[in-house]
């Protein structure tokens, strides 16, 4: 197993269906609870564990998941509401992980994640086939559709949950 991608790299179905979307939304809908079960009660030593040399700590991972969901949520809403297919800038996630808020207790990010995912799921449950094709342009990754963004939202959370479990198993 490659510790960088413990669940494998993201693979999108050739055609994303509403069934795929609903499955991904179901996963996101209970993600915060599943994450809590893994990280609740961890002490500082556990929160400072890494899944491989040079990787983020469990604490940084929890904060990163919330940061990333916030960015992806915003991008999803922009794709659904801006007819100009705007260009979105990326964010330097490694630099974000170094900022002082990444040293806070993880509870604030867990609460943030609960709220973000609740809102993402609410939006996702109301999507139409036509809306799945709406898109924005990422400055580095090109055109990204709503369908592929929802897939990424779900995969990304599972990807980092696997990192956290891997770190805690060491």
């Amino acid at each position: 197993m490659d510790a960088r991608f413990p669940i494998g790299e993201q693979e999108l179905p050739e055609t994303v269906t509403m069934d795929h979307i609903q499955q991904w939304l179901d996963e996101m809908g209970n993600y915060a609870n599943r994450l809590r079960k893994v990280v609740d009660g961890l002490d500082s030593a556990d929160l400072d564990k890494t899944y491989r040399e040079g990787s983020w700590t469990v604490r940084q991972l929890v904060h990163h998941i919330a940061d990333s969901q916030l960015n992806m949520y915003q991008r999803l809403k922009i794709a659904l509401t801006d007819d100009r297919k705007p260009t979105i800038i990326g964010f330097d996630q490694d630099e974000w992980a170094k900022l002082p808020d990444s040293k806070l207790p993880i509870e604030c990010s867990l609460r943030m994640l609960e709220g973000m995912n609740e809102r993402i799921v609410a939006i996702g449950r109301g999507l139409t086939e036509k809306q799945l094709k709406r898109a924005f342009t990422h400055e580095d990754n090109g055109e990204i559709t709503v369908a592929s963004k929802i897939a990424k939202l779900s995969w990304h959370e599972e990807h980092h949950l696997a990192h956290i479990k891997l770190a805690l198993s060491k």
Side-chain angles (χ1 to χ4, degrees):
M1 176 204 39
D2 181 350
R4 292 174 306 145
F5 296 99
I7 64 168
E9 294 192 49
Q10 182 187 11
E11 294 180 19
L12 272 178
E14 193 169 308
T15 302
V16 174
T17 67
M18 291 305 278
D19 286 339
H20 291 118
I21 297 296
Q22 296 309 314
Q23 176 187 341
W24 295 325
L25 292 171
D26 288 346
E27 290 168 1
M28 280 186 277
N30 70 25
Y31 180 79
N33 288 333
R34 291 185 293 123
L35 177 59
R36 269 190 189 283
K37 286 180 183 173
V38 174
V39 300
D40 266 354
L42 295 179
D43 60 23
S44 287
D46 287 331
L47 290 170
D48 289 337
K49 288 183 175 182
T50 60
Y51 59 93
R52 66 182 173 93
E53 189 173 330
S55 73
W56 289 336
T57 65
V58 170
R59 182 188 326 272
Q60 287 173 309
L61 283 163
V62 172
H63 291 308
H64 165 73
I65 296 164
D67 287 345
S68 186
Q69 288 297 92
L70 176 64
N71 275 282
M72 290 195 222
Y73 166 73
Q74 179 186 21
R75 294 169 183 177
L76 177 66
K77 288 188 83 160
I78 288 170
L80 288 167
T81 60
D82 193 327
D83 291 331
R84 297 170 296 161
K85 201 183 294 183
T87 298
I88 305 294
I89 61 168
F91 70 102
D92 188 333
Q93 55 191 11
D94 289 323
E95 289 301 314
W96 281 45
K98 295 175 188 174
L99 292 172
D101 64 330
S102 290
K103 292 177 178 59
L104 288 170
I106 60 173
E107 181 59 30
C108 62
S109 284
L110 291 169
R111 287 191 317 263
M112 186 175 143
L113 189 56
E114 288 169 343
M116 284 290 92
N117 280 2
E118 185 174 352
R119 293 185 72 177
I120 291 165
V121 170
I123 290 169
R125 297 274 188 232
L127 290 173
T128 65
E129 295 276 349
K130 183 177 179 182
Q131 287 174 312
L132 291 181
K133 295 178 179 128
R134 290 186 62 103
F136 63 87
T137 302
H138 187 280
E139 67 176 349
D140 298 322
N141 303 321
E143 184 175 287
I144 304 201
T145 64
V146 167
S148 64
K149 181 50 54 188
I150 290 175
K152 175 78 178 228
L153 284 160
S154 178
W155 175 85
H156 184 258
E157 287 184 328
E158 300 302 330
H159 166 72
H160 286 309
L161 181 57
H163 282 151
I164 291 167
K165 289 177 178 178
L166 185 59
L168 295 173
S169 72
K170 293 183 172 199

